[in-house]
Amino acid sequence: MKRVGLLVGRERSFPDALIATILARGASVAADYVLLEGTRMAEPAPYDVLIDRISHEIPYYQAYLKHAALEGVYVINNPFWRLADDKFFGTSLADAIGVAVPKTVLLPNKGYVPGIVPESLRNLKYPLDWDEILALTSLPAIVKVHYGGGWRDVYRVENRGELEQVYDRSGRQTLMVQEFIQWERYARCIVIGRERVKATAWDPRRPHFERYRYDEPPLPAPLQQRIETDACRLCGALGYDMNTVEFAVRDGVPYAIDFMNPAPDFDITSLGQTNFEWTVTAMADFVLSVVQGNRQPQLHWKSLLNAPLDAPVA
């Protein structure tokens, strides 16, 4: 029997509903919560698919999921991709594949670990030319850490002085400055399996549990199609099978604002009943498709494990 395991934190509504939905399909697939007590080298993983909802907060889980992937488990999301990504790379990648993004500048750190001396920073030019940076992004601008989520450590700055203040208190965080998109519409896409997508009106200014909007008119069909297409292209490029992608629409152009959410909030209180049911169904469909062998292995070196020692490596 095939097995699906969920690695979770405090959330209950989404994983409970997903397990129940998979079991109800009657496809000879077991689904349950993962239980770990340490991992031994070369220890087989007893799952065919693992769904990761918490490793971004638990370092041991990150190492376990990479081990499971080496053992042939399909991990959602791919732990190697997730740990390699950051928001600046993601923004550059989006631009490279033709998805509109705000103009962005990555900043050198303000603070460093003990032992870093001026000679350690010989490759950096100081002081920073704030006027040149703001000439690209203009004002107001958004300042955020280059790795993180949940809208934490995100600041809007109105002038150069505010930008310098945010930078001066950033410590060891790596910041980036982005053009502020004054938007007319805002949408959030739930993307499952890089192909199934649901675009919904969303308002980041509202309290957390009121951000998904059902009281706004639907997006014009051409705009919605572009948003959904761009969301799938981003997830395909990033290698994410589970993600949420946000777009701010200015002058009819959707700008990708936040699109690296490998463990997105799928709680029913956040999504609302309609979005929640769609997400659970789409994820169950995708997981069962993976179990049935409809996805390629995630690790390019897996084919080398049983190769002769003297076999050439392509």
Side-chain angles (χ1 to χ4, degrees):
M1 176 176 283
K2 301 291 187 178
R3 293 189 69 189
V4 176
L6 280 83
L7 203 60
V8 304
R10 292 174 292 175
E11 67 173 337
R12 295 299 308 222
S13 61
F14 173 70
D16 283 353
L18 180 60
I19 289 173
T21 301
I22 292 173
L23 295 177
R25 298 287 180 89
S28 298
V29 177
D32 54 23
Y33 289 105
V34 176
L35 187 62
L36 301 172
E37 54 176 352
T39 304
R40 295 156 186 79
M41 186 176 66
E43 177 182 354
Y47 293 95
D48 299 279
V49 177
L50 284 170
I51 302 169
D52 172 26
R53 305 285 298 158
I54 191 62
S55 76
H56 58 289
E57 295 181 349
I58 311 294
Y60 162 63
Y61 291 163
Q62 298 174 10
Y64 170 75
L65 289 170
K66 289 188 288 185
H67 166 81
L70 184 64
E71 292 298 314
V73 179
Y74 193 103
V75 182
I76 305 171
N77 281 305
N78 186 321
F80 296 93
W81 275 103
R82 190 188 68 76
L83 292 172
D85 289 338
D86 63 70
K87 292 182 179 180
F88 184 71
F89 168 76
T91 301
S92 300
L93 176 63
D95 181 64
I97 64 175
V99 175
V101 286
K103 298 171 184 175
T104 304
V105 179
L106 183 70
L107 302 180
N109 293 50
K110 173 65 177 181
Y112 298 89
V113 298
I116 294 296
V117 296
E119 289 78 10
S120 306
L121 307 175
R122 288 182 296 166
N123 296 104
L124 294 177
K125 180 181 178 181
Y126 282 105
L128 296 178
D129 190 335
W130 296 112
D131 291 332
E132 182 179 352
I133 292 169
L134 292 176
L136 176 68
T137 64
S138 71
L139 288 166
I142 298 296
V143 185
K144 62 178 71 170
V145 292
H146 91 305
Y147 192 91
W151 286 78
R152 293 185 294 269
D153 298 310
V154 177
Y155 308 92
R156 170 172 164 159
V157 295
E158 303 292 336
N159 53 58
R160 171 177 165 169
E162 290 182 0
L163 172 57
E164 292 188 64
Q165 289 176 15
V166 171
Y167 179 75
D168 287 342
R169 62 174 183 262
S170 63
R172 298 176 190 171
Q173 292 178 320
T174 304
L175 301 182
M176 59 188 212
V177 186
Q178 284 192 319
E179 172 190 14
F180 174 70
I181 304 298
Q182 184 64 54
W183 46 272
E184 302 111 22
R185 298 291 299 271
Y186 203 102
R188 190 179 228 210
C189 295
I190 304 166
V191 187
I192 303 297
R194 313 184 204 178
E195 296 174 352
R196 296 191 63 177
V197 56
K198 191 176 194 301
T200 306
W202 203 72
D203 192 339
R205 301 167 300 187
R206 290 180 175 266
H208 178 80
F209 296 109
E210 300 176 11
R211 290 178 178 174
Y212 283 94
R213 309 303 306 163
Y214 298 96
D215 54 356
E216 293 189 11
L219 294 168
L223 176 61
Q224 178 162 334
Q225 182 177 2
R226 176 172 173 180
I227 285 174
E228 292 179 350
T229 298
D230 282 356
C232 289
R233 290 175 67 197
L234 279 169
C235 291
L238 291 166
Y240 286 0
D241 292 313
M242 172 178 61
N243 198 5
T244 51
V245 181
E246 297 172 20
F247 291 91
V249 181
R250 182 180 69 187
D251 298 329
V253 177
Y255 291 83
I257 300 296
D258 186 77
F259 45 88
M260 300 178 71
N261 299 296
D265 179 5
F266 284 164
D267 192 84
I268 190 171
T269 56
S270 301
L271 295 181
Q273 188 68 37
T274 301
N275 288 334
F276 179 77
E277 291 177 358
W278 182 93
T279 302
V280 171
T281 299
M283 181 60 77
D285 291 343
F286 176 68
V287 169
L288 292 175
S289 175
V290 172
V291 167
Q292 292 162 4
N294 296 327
R295 288 280 163 164
Q296 294 296 317
Q298 292 180 304
L299 301 184
H300 73 277
W301 64 79
K302 184 69 175 176
S303 62
L304 302 178
L305 297 184
N306 297 319
L309 294 179
D310 58 350
V313 177

